[in-house]
């Protein structure tokens, strides 16, 4: 959609906030290097992988295995990719082992799980509910917040039971699913406070940034401080529906918009966008609560907010609060993963949170991230053997050096408090 233009000014919007010390202690030290570790005569042994490399391998194996593929997840403790293969597909299991991943035989195929999710959509689209495929259990994880009671709970429970034994698990959340917009405590647009996700380059080469689509409902003109002059204008937005994202263009085309995330006094360079992997450790930065970390719990999640249903999200256990909406979800080695959408709970009690995948948002708005790369590393690996890995023993060190250098370039992004 088209929007009016407003007075131009050179500026950059804030993503700061107070850093959560626990998460910062995990994020800032040098990362562990990815290692192959397997000699030539032990090709069947699972390889040691970084989460980003595991995601690339899972994507390639999904294409290779076809109907035998039933999801994958990352074992962060052993740093291995675990791939679910439908029971009885011995030849496919051998391909997984040869590629360097661990095999687990399961009963539910991906097609069956997706069909179950379709039944939930048609029979139990109830505000306050969500569902996503959990490859670690080979089931659909269905969650209901505190507003789902009485007849609504009975309807949801009976729908889950109709899927059959072993197809889904149902859990209750103590909080309430909501988008993390805060109205009144700081003004970014129309009285609503959100967070910048990632600086990007729009299709015409102009500087812009990504944030949550539901934030754009507050207004077109955005400022970087309470009561400040507008610096950016909403160009495209989607919410609810098949995503929760917005592209916001800086009004001054000369705006310096570095590809990095400010984590409070230091910056993490963002090198490219990547797909999330279940089990992957991720970090979230938001203008209200600062830095927090956790794990990816599910992919292609459906969330039924009071405003409507949103599909295709990432489910995590990373905390967030009002004002964090649109903030960046990323990895230690500089991969852009998601934009904060919503969830339940807060950073005191925890809860479930949902994120818009960055890769999907970039494709939809026609923008690029980092060094002109809107796609994940896996897209650059076409034609490589499924078991091939990047030699990243020196890569993590390089990223850490860039992080240290990035703190000297902090002027490109400012903190809100």
């Amino acid at each position: 959609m088209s929007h009016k233009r407003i007075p131009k000014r050179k500026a950059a919007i804030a993503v700061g906030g107070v850093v959560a010390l626990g998460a910062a202690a995990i994020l800032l030290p040098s990362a562990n290097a990815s290692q192959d570790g397997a000699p030539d005569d032990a090709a069947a042994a699972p390889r040691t992988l970084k989460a980003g490399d595991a995601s690339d391998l899972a994507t390639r194996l999904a294409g290779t295995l076809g109907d035998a593929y039933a999801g994958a997840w990352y074992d962060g403790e052993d740093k291995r990719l675990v791939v679910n293969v439908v029971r009885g597909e011995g030849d496919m299991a051998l391909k997984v082992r040869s590629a360097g991943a661990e095999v687990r035989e399961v009963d539910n195929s991906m097609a069956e799980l997706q069909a179950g999710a379709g039944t939930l959509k048609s029979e139990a689209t109830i505000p306050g509910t969500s569902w996503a495929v959990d490859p670690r259990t080979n089931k659909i994880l269905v969650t209901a917040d505190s507003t789902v009671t009485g007849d609504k709970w009975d309807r949801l429970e009976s729908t889950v039971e109709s899927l059959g034994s072993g197809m889904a698990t149902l859990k209750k959340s103590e909080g309430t699913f909501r988008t993390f917009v805060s109205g009144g405590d700081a003004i970014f647009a129309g009285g609503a406070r959100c967070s910048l996700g990632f600086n990007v380059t729009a299709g015409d080469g102009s500087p812009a940034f990504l944030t949550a689509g539901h934030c754009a409902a507050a207004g077109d003109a955005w400022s970087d401080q309470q009561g400040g002059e507008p610096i950016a204008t909403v160009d495209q937005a989607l919410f609810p529906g098949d995503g929760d994202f917005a592209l916001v263009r800086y009004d001054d085309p000369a705006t310096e918009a570095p590809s990095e995330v400010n984590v409070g006094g230091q910056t993490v360079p963002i090198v490219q966008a990547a797909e999330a992997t279940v089990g992957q450790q991720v970090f979230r930065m938001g203008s209200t609560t600062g830095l927090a970390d956790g794990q990816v719990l599910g992919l292609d999640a459906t969330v039924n907010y009071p405003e409507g249903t949103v599909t295709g999200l990432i489910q995590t256990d990373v905390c967030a609060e009002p004002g964090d909406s649109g903030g960046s979800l990323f990895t230690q080695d500089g991969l852009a993963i998601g934009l904060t959408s919503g969830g339940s709970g807060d950073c005191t009690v925890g809860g479930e949170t949902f994120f818009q995948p960055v890769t999907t948002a970039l494709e939809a708005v026609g923008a690029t991230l980092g060094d002109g790369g809107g796609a994940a590393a896996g897209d650059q690996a076409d034609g490589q053997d499924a078991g091939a890995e990047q030699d990243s023993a020196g890569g993590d060190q390089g990223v850490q050096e860039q992080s240290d250098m990035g703190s000297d370039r902090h002027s490109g992004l400012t903190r809100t408090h």
Side-chain angles (χ1 to χ4, degrees), residues 25-407:
I26 299 173
L27 176 64
L28 298 178
S30 296
N32 293 324
S34 170
Q35 301 174 2
D36 188 323
D40 293 339
D41 58 353
R47 300 184 181 186
T48 300
L49 298 166
K50 289 197 304 179
D53 298 331
S55 176
D56 298 339
L57 179 56
T59 299
R60 294 196 294 271
L61 284 172
T64 299
L65 301 180
D67 293 340
Y69 179 79
W73 56 281
Y74 182 63
D75 183 342
E77 183 174 348
D78 293 333
K79 300 190 184 314
R80 294 176 177 176
L81 176 68
V82 182
V83 178
N84 293 337
V85 176
V86 176
R87 201 175 304 279
E89 297 283 353
D91 291 343
M92 295 300 181
L94 181 60
K95 290 184 178 181
V96 172
R97 293 189 182 95
S98 298
E102 183 176 330
V103 176
R104 189 179 67 157
E105 292 189 339
V106 296
D107 295 320
N108 298 322
S109 69
M110 188 59 69
E112 290 170 330
L113 293 170
Q114 290 172 343
T119 298
L120 287 164
K121 179 180 180 180
S122 62
E123 303 295 334
T125 297
I126 302 167
T129 61
S130 71
W131 50 82
V133 173
D134 181 1
R136 289 175 293 190
T137 63
N138 189 228
K139 296 180 181 180
I140 305 169
L141 174 60
V142 184
T143 307
D145 72 12
S146 59
T147 67
V148 182
T149 59
D151 292 342
K152 291 189 292 185
W153 172 262
D154 293 341
R155 175 181 160 196
L156 179 63
E157 188 175 41
S158 63
T159 303
V160 170
E161 291 175 352
S162 74
L163 299 179
S165 176
M167 280 293 294
T169 57
L170 176 60
K171 60 174 287 190
K172 191 81 170 178
S173 172
E174 295 182 0
T176 301
F177 289 158
R178 67 197 189 283
T179 54
F180 288 127
V181 176
S182 178
D185 55 358
I187 296 176
F188 282 83
R193 171 183 179 149
C194 286
S195 300
L196 182 148
F198 299 97
N199 282 320
V200 299
T201 302
D204 63 357
S206 62
F209 64 84
L210 294 176
T211 190
H214 67 264
C215 292
D220 288 350
W222 288 72
S223 61
D224 63 350
Q225 57 184 324
Q226 185 174 2
E229 290 294 322
I231 65 166
T233 303
V234 175
D235 182 78
Q236 302 178 52
L238 176 64
F239 176 83
D242 297 330
D244 184 4
F245 56 86
L247 177 71
V248 186
R249 293 177 183 263
Y250 289 105
D251 295 315
D252 186 343
T255 297
E256 295 180 5
S259 185
E260 58 188 29
V261 175
N262 173 19
V263 295
Q266 296 195 50
T267 56
V268 176
I270 299 300
V271 295
Q272 61 190 16
E275 302 289 347
T277 303
V278 172
Q280 181 178 25
Q281 183 186 37
V282 287
F283 297 84
R284 176 200 54 75
M285 192 66 194
S287 66
T288 298
T289 58
L291 186 66
D293 71 295
Q295 284 193 351
V296 175
L297 302 180
L299 305 178
D300 197 21
T302 295
V303 187
N304 296 299
Y305 292 122
E307 300 92 338
T309 299
V310 181
T311 60
L313 302 183
I314 301 165
Q315 183 171 350
T316 81
D317 61 4
V318 185
C319 74
E321 296 183 6
D324 289 331
S325 277
S328 47
L329 186 74
F330 59 101
T331 67
Q332 180 173 343
D333 50 355
L335 300 179
I337 301 296
L339 307 166
T340 306
S341 175
S344 67
D346 54 38
C347 287
T348 299
V349 301
E352 298 84 15
T353 46
F354 302 93
F355 296 81
Q356 163 67 44
V358 171
T359 52
T360 305
L362 288 171
E363 182 178 3
V365 302
T368 56
L369 184 151
D371 297 328
D379 294 334
Q380 301 170 3
D382 292 341
Q384 296 181 3
D385 181 80
E389 298 177 68
Q390 299 175 0
D391 181 6
S392 57
D396 291 324
Q397 180 180 359
V399 168
Q400 180 59 32
E401 291 172 352
Q402 291 175 29
S403 295
D404 296 337
M405 293 171 60
S407 62

